[in-house]
Amino acid sequence: MIDDEDEDEEGGELDFGALPEDAKLAAGALVYGMHVLVDELFQDLQTLSWSGRWRTRGRRTRAGR
């Protein structure tokens, strides 16, 4: 967590060059983006399992016996 003590006297910039508001915005965007990515991945896995391609990959199907 960033304390107020860490701020410079020159307008509140920190040593790493980002304002706390900008850092919070970037962190929120990252969390939102990861949420969307994980959602899409699970939807793709569900679609593949419904189509049967993912479950039967590398195994024989009933028609192939």
Side-chain angles (χ1 to χ4, degrees), residues 19-62:
L19 295 173
E21 295 83 18
D22 294 339
K24 289 177 185 177
L25 181 64
L30 182 64
V31 168
Y32 177 75
M34 289 303 299
H35 177 73
V36 171
L37 176 68
V38 169
D39 245 6
E40 292 292 324
L41 286 174
F42 277 108
Q43 285 179 6
D44 291 346
L45 284 174
Q46 188 174 25
T47 301
L48 286 173
S49 68
W50 282 344
S51 69
R53 292 181 188 161
W54 187 55
R55 286 187 302 212
T56 60
R57 187 177 215 173
R59 293 189 246 158
R60 290 184 178 186
T61 60
R62 288 185 178 179

Side-chain angles (χ1 to χ4, degrees), residues 2-24:
I2 300 173
D3 295 330
D4 290 336
E5 298 170 0
D6 296 337
E7 293 181 5
D8 286 341
E9 296 174 8
E10 301 175 11
E13 283 195 38
L14 301 175
D15 290 340
F16 55 87
L19 295 173
E21 295 83 18
D22 294 339
K24 289 177 185 177

